[in-house]
Amino acid sequence: MKVKNGVKEDIAKKVNTNKAGNPLSPDLLQKINAYWRAANYLSVGQIYLFDNPLLKEPLKLSHVKPLVVGHWGTTPGQNFIYVHLNRVIKKYDLDMFYIAGPGHGGPALVGNVYLEGTYTEIYPNISQDEAGMKKLFKQFSFPGGISSHVAPTTPGSIHEGGELGYSLSHAFGAAFDNPDLIAACIIGDGEAETASLATAWQSNKFLNPISDGAVLPILHLNGYKISNPTVLARIEPEELEQFFQGCGWTPYFVEGDDPDKMHQLMASTLDKAIEDIRQIQGNARSKNDTTRRRWPMIVLKSPKGWTGPKFVDGLQIEGTFRAHQVPLLVDPQHPDHVKLLEDWMKSYKAEELFDENGRLRAELAELAPKGERRMGANPHANGGILLRDLEMPDFHNHALNVSSPGAIEGEDTLVLGKFLRDVAKLNQNPRNFRVFGPDETLSNLLGAVFEVTNRQWDAREVKNDEFLAPNGGVMDSMLSENQCEGWLEGYLLTGRHGLFNSYEAFIRIIDSMFSQHAKWLKVCLELPWRRKISSLNYLLASHVWQQDHNGFTHQDPGFLDHVINKKADIVRIYLPPDANCLLSVFDHCLRSRNYVNVVVAGKHPLPQWLNMDAAVVHCTEGVGIWQWASNDQGSEPDLVMGCCGDTPTLETLAAVSILCKNLPDLKIRVVNVVDLMKLQPMSEHPHGLSDADYDSLFTKDKHIIFNFHGYPWLIHRLTYRRTNQNLHVRGYKEEGTITTAFDMRVQNDIDRFHLVQDVVDRLPHLGSKGAYLKQMMQDKLIEHKHYIDKHGQDMPEIRNWKWSAPK
């Protein structure tokens, strides 16, 4: 058995034998190859040319962009895939769209949607003629133009791919509850090395062949990343095949570099894959059989930079890492490369592809599907077109009966769970809403949703499993924040609704995914043709102050700091202080469009402050004076006690009760914040308070003791422009361990005793009374420490504390 380059030759031949004759007639083969050449020509032109798009005159350096930026290596392979997908769309009348995992191959997608006519329909100035082609070329990676990635500006795209790893998760999210859709997902072999993508292969265990669509992964195995080989390209073919079989796929291999042979092989392989998909779905739907099958996938192995320069300056380019980005430097330092570029572009024989006016020849244009069957025009890729409003239950029906502030205790997310149950029930025929999260739906007390739906699960079930079914509305059976986030993003981007619930500390795992989605939404707002989609809603429970002895690893409220960096047009952060406020906030979030809403809520029993009518008013305003907790009516306050978050609010009110009891002449104003963005000036955020409104709440000169859920410096960031700089913020300061709930507050100085001490320190006029009170609080802190060390729980006066209104 011969071994060459570490690959057993007979195995390499074996995996390339799945072709079934030559499905393309000589005429169709010629046309498909010509269409591919046209896409390659447009791709090279976008990367390089500033002028002379049809090379009607000899190419000169002045025709080349002064700064050439782009990625060629993946582009010809993606062009090859696109033209072949066009063929099967027409042959089988498919509802299919294209997700470009290696989105840095922007020239491919832009060029193909231009050839099919979608680009010109959306951007009429980029006409299908020589003048339009010149604009198409110039705008690419050019100031004031488009990026080199598959961006929101690219019709047919839901996935930028600038940051690699999320394509397959997005594809599955798109396929859920879309029974007629096929999401063709092109995955770069460099991308396949990312953690997110490597895990996403398991998503086939969650696809219902009856109610969901299909995902067709096409692994583009071109061998190299920026300057390194890729792992999947260097393992033996049998190992690669076994890997995908082990992940539950049926892999088909298309390998080679001869265009005619590759076109025939790709055509027969795609036919087989589509027929497999139809057979799986047809059997499942006719027999109501949800038995998990092996879905098809394709491995396309072609040279990196296929059809590009083979050698430049004595170095091999095609088939090496050197083809990854710009394979040919064309600048004043390399004047002889102008001729190489011209020869390269002329090798595609543009005169055979475009007429004298620069329009794709009619017999080639006929290869593209028509109307919404074009992948660039598929409405799923502009999900707002398909978006239907949620059927919403009346959240008032789930209100807790709060007769007076603090009269009862409640578990906020437990109450929300019943509301979400009703949302799920009203939107399941057809399903338009899902709950996503990494195995935390029950832990975060949202289990009421399982009264009306199950977890989607198509793998084996065994005795004692709970809430598993092939067609469930909850996606929490995979312990991967990345997959849940990617699935939800794909679901939202294709016109549906959902929420992500997570432990607060571990939402940080998807920081970067959130950033990319927020950037996508920001750009979409600037594109009139992009319809608004449902907001990305996060529910962060099991938060930093309620960790049940989980310890330091579970204590991180920093997602709020990360979110606040994004554009004010996109991000919203809410910290409702009780269950009724949480209901009001979430009703608003689920109805909203094109935002990222972050809601932080607790799941443990805490005092409930507002009845529903008061909660609605408070949440609508976003911030307000709690008159029932204040005693400064009719006079100037001595200080303002601000709070934001359920636990900081509890401790603030407990501190207020101590102060009012021991310093009855002290005038205190309590201000609670639900909408964190209210603290910013209105010039910085649309929710921000005007300076006059801020000053009326917080005063211009009184001390503000602000108790905050997260890192204290975030509040300083939001308020640094305000008049009153007598702001003293307490929050999480990276102190924590396995301890009691109250001791967590003590360690970070947000507890009632430290708050009272802080007030005394800020108000020296309290004199002797203040000094005695401060000493009393210090005694309480020592008593607390001794008690928890001995008993392992908080003191009874903490556990059993009840609010009493100031006299």
Side-chain angles (χ1 to χ4, degrees):
M1 183 180 295
K2 291 176 64 178
V3 175
K4 184 177 181 180
N5 296 326
V7 177
K8 298 175 183 177
E9 283 192 332
D10 60 341
I11 296 175
K13 293 176 183 176
K14 178 182 177 182
V15 299
N16 201 20
T17 58
N18 62 309
K19 52 188 174 182
N22 291 328
L24 303 180
S25 67
D27 178 63
L28 183 55
L29 172 62
Q30 182 272 325
K31 288 177 180 177
I32 283 179
N33 190 63
Y35 198 102
W36 179 46
R37 284 159 39 212
N40 287 338
Y41 182 86
L42 293 181
S43 298
V44 180
Q46 288 178 78
I47 294 172
Y48 283 97
L49 292 193
F50 183 81
D51 200 355
N52 192 18
L54 289 173
L55 301 183
K56 288 185 174 179
E57 59 178 287
L59 190 65
K60 296 183 288 190
L61 188 59
S62 60
H63 298 150
V64 179
K65 295 174 185 177
L67 179 63
V68 176
V69 179
H71 292 76
W72 167 247
T74 182
T75 295
Q78 292 205 59
N79 288 332
F80 180 84
I81 294 167
Y82 204 101
V83 65
H84 279 276
L85 292 177
N86 279 344
R87 184 190 72 86
V88 293
I89 289 171
K90 292 190 70 174
K91 177 177 179 179
Y92 296 96
D93 189 27
L94 301 178
D95 185 6
M96 174 185 280
F97 78 111
Y98 188 108
I99 296 178
H104 45 268
L109 269 292
V110 173
N112 275 287
V113 295
Y114 176 78
L115 288 175
E116 72 186 22
T118 309
Y119 206 87
T120 299
E121 290 174 11
I122 292 175
Y123 304 108
N125 62 311
I126 310 294
S127 51
Q128 289 187 300
D129 54 25
E130 184 175 3
M133 190 184 295
K134 178 179 176 180
K135 293 176 182 176
L136 180 79
F137 289 178
K138 177 184 175 182
Q139 70 174 0
F140 184 82
S141 283
F142 199 82
I146 63 173
S147 72
S148 65
H149 294 84
V150 180
T153 52
T154 310
S157 173
I158 67 165
H159 175 91
E160 182 149 0
E163 180 174 302
L164 300 176
Y166 313 140
S167 59
L168 194 53
S169 302
H170 285 164
F172 275 93
F176 294 141
D177 301 322
N178 264 331
D180 298 326
L181 181 68
I182 300 178
C185 184
I186 288 66
I187 299 159
D189 50 354
E191 179 190 18
E193 297 175 5
T194 65
S196 300
L197 199 290
T199 307
W201 295 115
Q202 307 299 332
S203 296
N204 53 15
K205 285 75 177 177
F206 302 89
L207 199 67
N208 185 338
I210 296 176
S211 57
D212 296 331
V215 175
L216 178 60
I218 302 176
L219 175 64
H220 188 201
L221 203 67
N222 63 23
Y224 295 92
K225 304 183 279 284
I226 295 174
S227 61
N228 273 293
T230 59
V231 173
L232 295 184
R234 294 297 179 89
I235 61 177
E236 294 187 1
E238 63 179 1
E239 185 180 354
L240 184 65
E241 185 174 23
Q242 289 167 356
F243 171 76
F244 288 116
Q245 288 176 341
C247 291
W249 298 92
T250 297
Y252 295 117
F253 293 79
V254 176
E255 179 178 347
D257 59 5
D258 179 87
D260 285 354
K261 293 179 181 178
M262 286 289 281
H263 284 306
Q264 294 286 9
L265 182 55
M266 187 65 172
S268 63
T269 303
L270 265 175
D271 283 347
K272 182 69 173 83
I274 299 303
E275 288 161 6
D276 284 357
I277 290 170
R278 290 198 157 182
Q279 191 277 328
I280 292 170
Q281 292 178 336
N283 179 74
R285 294 170 187 182
S286 64
K287 299 178 181 178
N288 196 32
D289 179 5
T290 57
T291 303
R292 185 167 66 90
R293 309 293 181 184
R294 290 183 178 272
W295 295 90
M297 65 162 294
I298 295 172
V299 179
L300 170 64
K301 187 173 183 181
S302 62
K304 196 172 184 78
W306 196 12
T307 74
K310 300 233 178 336
F311 288 87
V312 175
D313 297 335
L315 294 175
Q316 182 179 342
I317 304 299
E318 184 188 74
T320 76
F321 67 88
R322 297 183 184 92
H324 181 76
Q325 293 178 311
V326 178
L328 185 65
L329 294 176
V330 184
D331 54 29
Q333 288 73 44
H334 302 83
D336 54 325
H337 288 183
V338 173
K339 183 65 168 62
L340 295 179
L341 174 60
E342 183 178 44
D343 291 344
W344 176 16
M345 295 194 71
K346 284 188 173 181
S347 71
Y348 297 117
K349 301 180 180 179
E351 67 279 3
E352 299 176 2
L353 313 173
F354 304 95
D355 64 20
E356 183 66 21
N357 296 318
R359 190 174 186 87
L360 184 67
R361 295 191 181 277
E363 65 271 19
L364 300 183
E366 279 299 311
L367 295 181
K370 306 301 180 188
E372 291 184 349
R373 284 298 194 243
R374 294 171 297 174
M375 289 188 285
N378 191 300
H380 292 97
N382 189 1
I385 294 174
L386 304 174
L387 186 64
R388 294 178 289 109
D389 289 343
L390 283 173
E391 294 290 329
M392 293 292 288
D394 186 349
F395 65 92
H396 292 80
N397 294 336
H398 298 278
L400 292 183
N401 183 14
V402 183
S403 58
S404 62
I408 64 169
E409 287 193 337
E411 297 163 289
D412 296 358
T413 57
L414 183 67
V415 174
L416 179 66
K418 297 173 182 177
F419 171 69
L420 296 176
R421 172 199 63 197
D422 291 356
V423 176
K425 182 177 181 180
L426 290 172
N427 295 277
Q428 60 183 354
N429 291 310
R431 182 178 289 125
N432 191 30
F433 171 80
R434 284 180 180 258
V435 175
F436 297 79
D439 192 23
E440 289 163 6
T441 304
L442 285 174
S443 177
N444 286 331
L445 300 192
L446 304 180
V449 297
F450 293 124
E451 296 173 18
V452 298
T453 188
N454 289 292
R455 300 176 167 115
Q456 184 143 327
W457 177 261
D458 287 343
R460 286 190 305 116
E461 295 181 43
V462 299
K463 184 180 179 181
N464 295 321
D465 286 341
E466 287 189 332
F467 311 128
L468 299 181
N471 184 23
V474 177
M475 306 298 298
D476 80 336
S477 298
M478 196 168 192
L479 193 57
S480 168
E481 285 81 0
N482 298 97
Q483 295 317 306
C484 294
E485 172 75 14
W487 289 343
L488 175 54
E489 288 177 2
Y491 200 68
L492 299 177
L493 288 162
T494 49
R496 280 75 62 75
H497 306 257
L499 70 92
F500 188 119
N501 83 97
S502 175
Y503 283 14
E504 181 185 47
F506 304 130
I507 197 67
R508 304 305 309 271
I509 293 170
I510 55 87
D511 273 5
S512 190
M513 296 183 75
F514 148 75
S515 291
Q516 296 301 322
H517 187 79
K519 289 174 183 290
W520 180 277
L521 293 179
K522 186 264 185 186
V523 176
C524 286
L525 285 177
E526 301 164 5
L527 301 171
W529 62 273
R530 281 279 183 187
R531 302 285 186 85
K532 290 186 176 181
I533 63 172
S534 180
S535 296
L536 172 54
N537 298 307
Y538 292 102
L539 173 65
L540 307 186
S542 300
H543 62 56
V544 61
W545 306 113
Q546 297 180 352
Q547 277 315 308
D548 286 340
H549 297 222
N550 272 324
F552 200 35
T553 57
H554 286 58
Q555 299 158 4
D556 186 348
F559 191 62
L560 303 184
D561 300 69
H562 180 56
V563 169
I564 211 80
N565 293 321
K566 301 308 170 189
K567 293 294 291 185
D569 291 340
I570 301 300
V571 295
R572 307 285 186 266
I573 297 176
Y574 301 98
L575 295 102
D578 65 7
N580 286 340
C581 289
L582 178 59
L583 287 169
S584 178
V585 163
F586 236 94
D587 179 79
H588 166 75
C589 291
L590 290 179
R591 296 176 187 270
S592 67
R593 300 286 184 270
N594 255 67
Y595 296 142
V596 176
N597 297 309
V598 181
V599 182
V600 183
K603 65 182 183 182
H604 291 298
L606 287 178
Q608 301 296 304
W609 307 114
L610 304 180
N611 63 39
M612 183 52 80
D613 289 341
V616 170
V617 171
H618 185 47
C619 294
T620 302
E621 293 174 343
V623 58
I625 299 172
W626 277 2
Q627 297 186 26
W628 52 268
S630 307
N631 66 357
D632 67 323
Q633 295 89 339
S635 63
E636 280 290 304
D638 292 305
L639 81 156
V640 176
M641 298 289 283
C643 47
C644 182
D646 55 8
T647 301
T649 296
L650 166 63
E651 291 303 313
T652 293
L653 292 175
V656 168
S657 67
I658 294 171
L659 289 165
C660 289
K661 178 180 178 180
N662 291 276
L663 302 170
D665 295 330
L666 189 65
K667 298 301 180 183
I668 302 172
R669 176 180 298 177
V670 176
V671 178
N672 183 263
V673 178
V674 178
D675 180 350
L676 192 61
M677 304 315 196
K678 288 289 182 179
L679 298 179
Q680 286 188 281
M682 61 190 309
S683 60
E684 297 298 315
H685 196 284
H687 285 197
L689 291 171
S690 68
D691 286 339
D693 287 342
Y694 183 92
D695 292 343
S696 72
L697 291 173
F698 291 99
T699 76
K700 289 186 176 181
D701 57 359
K702 305 300 181 185
H703 285 286
I704 306 167
I705 310 296
F706 197 97
N707 216 20
F708 179 49
H709 172 89
Y711 291 105
W713 39 88
L714 178 56
I715 301 301
H716 288 290
R717 276 182 61 192
L718 298 176
T719 60
Y720 79 97
R721 291 186 178 182
R722 298 300 191 179
T723 301
N724 189 349
Q725 290 299 300
N726 292 314
L727 177 64
H728 318 286
V729 185
R730 293 184 176 273
Y732 183 67
K733 59 181 189 180
E734 209 64 25
E735 292 291 341
T737 184
I738 298 173
T739 188
T740 69
F742 184 71
D743 192 55
M744 265 295 295
R745 306 167 204 169
V746 170
Q747 290 193 29
N748 290 277
D749 299 343
I750 76 159
D751 64 283
R752 60 201 70 181
F753 303 139
H754 278 106
L755 290 174
V756 170
Q757 288 182 326
D758 202 3
V759 169
V760 172
D761 288 342
R762 306 295 173 186
L763 301 176
H765 71 272
L766 295 175
S768 179
K769 288 185 178 180
Y772 276 95
L773 180 58
K774 183 177 179 181
Q775 180 64 54
M776 185 190 304
M777 296 300 98
Q778 190 61 36
D779 294 345
K780 282 292 182 184
L781 288 168
I782 294 172
E783 181 185 352
H784 151 75
K785 183 67 168 65
H786 289 164
Y787 190 91
I788 65 169
D789 286 349
K790 181 177 181 180
H791 298 284
Q793 62 178 342
D794 290 318
M795 297 185 296
E797 69 179 82
I798 301 297
R799 291 184 278 120
N800 303 322
W801 178 85
K802 299 290 184 184
W803 164 254
S804 58
K807 304 293 187 195

